[in-house]
């Protein structure tokens, strides 16, 4: 889920909030650790990561990885978020292929 946040920060007036759901807290924490090690390349962009419980989830352990991006321009925001999405895609693909929780979940679903 993506939302454009209303931002009163004059230094970084453009912002976006990404909410990425994960079935377990371990997977959310793993994604957080993998994604936050790479700093933003531009000083015109800043981001904040957090992991929060998923509201109204069928699993008690479900978590949401929240990423708040703030940038000086919409263009810088777009470039930063596009780059992040590429990294997120890679992390999710590795989890899907190698992570035991994901493999166990897929077997339970009959996939």
């Amino acid at each position: 889920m993506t939302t454009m946040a209303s931002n009163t920060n004059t230094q970084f007036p453009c912002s976006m909030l990404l909410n990425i759901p994960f079935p377990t807290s371990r997977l959310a924490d793993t994604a957080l650790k993998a994604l936050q090690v790479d700093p933003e390349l531009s000083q015109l962009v800043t981001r904040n990561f957090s992991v929060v419980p998923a509201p109204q989830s069928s699993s008690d352990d479900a978590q949401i990885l929240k990423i708040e991006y703030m940038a000086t321009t919409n263009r810088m925001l777009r470039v930063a978020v596009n780059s992040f999405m590429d990294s997120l895609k890679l992390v999710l693909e590795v989890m899907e292929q190698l992570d035991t929780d994901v493999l166990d979940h897929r077997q339970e679903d009959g996939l």
Side-chain angles (χ1 to χ4, degrees):
M1 175 188 222
T2 304
T3 58
M4 296 299 286
S6 60
N7 188 0
T8 58
N9 187 334
T10 56
Q11 186 178 4
F12 296 103
C14 305
S15 64
M16 180 178 285
L17 180 63
L18 304 170
N19 294 313
I20 314 298
F22 286 91
T24 67
S25 60
R26 191 182 67 73
L27 290 173
D29 289 335
T30 300
L32 172 70
K33 290 174 185 174
L35 293 166
Q36 73 181 3
V37 296
D38 295 324
E40 278 301 320
L41 298 177
S42 173
Q43 295 177 349
L44 303 176
V45 178
T46 185
R47 67 181 179 193
N48 299 308
F49 290 92
S50 62
V51 174
V52 298
Q56 303 172 348
S57 173
S58 60
S59 169
D60 291 338
D61 196 29
Q63 299 280 305
I64 293 178
L65 175 61
K66 292 185 128 187
I67 307 98
E68 181 183 14
Y69 267 93
M70 294 174 286
T72 56
T73 65
N74 283 328
R75 181 180 181 279
M76 291 303 299
L77 180 64
R78 177 182 52 82
V79 169
V81 170
N82 281 345
S83 176
F84 171 79
M85 294 303 251
D86 288 339
S87 297
L88 176 63
K89 179 181 179 217
L90 178 61
V91 168
L92 294 175
E93 286 174 351
V94 169
M95 285 181 172
E96 183 179 31
Q97 294 296 317
L98 302 177
D99 195 273
T100 57
D101 282 356
V102 175
L103 293 174
D104 291 342
H105 186 29
R106 286 173 54 185
Q107 289 174 351
E108 289 172 7
D109 291 342
L111 298 176

